[in-house]
Amino acid sequence: MEDVDSSGNPSLVKLNAQDASSAVAVAGHPLHAMSVHFPIALVFGTLGVDVFFWWTADPFWLRVGLWSSGFAFVTGLAAGSIGTAELLLVPGIRGRVASWAHGIAAVTLIAVMGANWGLRLTDVPVLPHGLLVSLLAAILTGIAGWHGGKLIFDHGVGLMVSPKD
């Protein structure tokens, strides 16, 4: 896929010639693209749980928030590790500024997910602290996801593309 009109720009021609397909895959399926769905869903689920707790004051939602934020962090670490491997192993991915922007946003998000879980493991009140950190995590998820989507759909990064016959 050609992501930018190179218009004779030698740097863009060279970058577009590099392979940007996934290096970490199982049976032709890129693991990073498959694994990011879990932390994304859990971040938004944790935000929803915090809103339910705010609305009902039922301690049940505190336990659900502890588990959902913990699983968001752990699955985010797994997806981030795979994404970091892709970034470091594939020159066609490493050479794009958008890849680094996505990586920085994702690492920031993972740090916020860890802080969100850490708040819940201590005696810090979920309202307002946990709710605000969950909201920040949801915003960062949108930013990192937007950059990741741009890499996949506009640049064709991280895909397993079969050769054309």
Side-chain angles (χ1 to χ4, degrees), residues 122-141:
T122 62
D123 290 332
V124 174
V126 170
L127 291 178
H129 302 95
L131 179 62
L132 293 174
V133 174
S134 292
L135 184 61
L136 177 61
I139 291 167
L140 287 170
T141 300

Side-chain angles (χ1 to χ4, degrees), residues 7 20 23 28 83 100 146:
S7 304
W100 291 96
W146 183 81

Side-chain angles (χ1 to χ4, degrees), residues 2-146:
E2 185 153 342
D3 57 319
V4 181
D5 177 22
S6 57
S7 304
N9 183 330
S11 296
L12 291 177
V13 170
K14 183 178 176 183
L15 181 62
N16 289 333
Q18 291 180 342
D19 181 28
S21 61
S22 179
V24 183
V26 172
H29 299 285
L31 290 180
H32 182 64
M34 292 180 356
S35 64
V36 296
H37 297 82
F38 297 104
I40 290 170
L42 288 162
V43 162
F44 284 106
T46 302
L47 177 60
V49 163
D50 288 347
V51 170
F52 284 145
F53 176 67
W54 183 25
W55 187 37
T56 66
D58 187 346
F60 166 77
W61 296 114
L62 292 175
R63 290 191 310 276
V64 175
L66 174 68
W67 284 95
S68 65
S69 63
F71 278 112
F73 177 63
V74 170
T75 58
L77 282 175
S81 298
I82 296 166
T84 301
E86 292 276 12
L87 181 66
L88 298 176
L89 292 174
V90 182
I93 296 174
R94 193 172 53 242
R96 298 179 193 283
V97 174
S99 299
W100 291 96
H102 171 66
I104 290 168
V107 167
T108 305
L109 170 60
I110 292 168
V112 169
M113 289 189 299
N116 200 5
W117 187 35
L119 285 173
R120 292 159 200 279
L121 288 171
T122 62
D123 290 332
V124 174
V126 170
L127 291 178
H129 302 95
L131 179 62
L132 293 174
V133 174
S134 292
L135 184 61
L136 177 61
I139 291 167
L140 287 170
T141 300
I143 293 168
W146 183 81

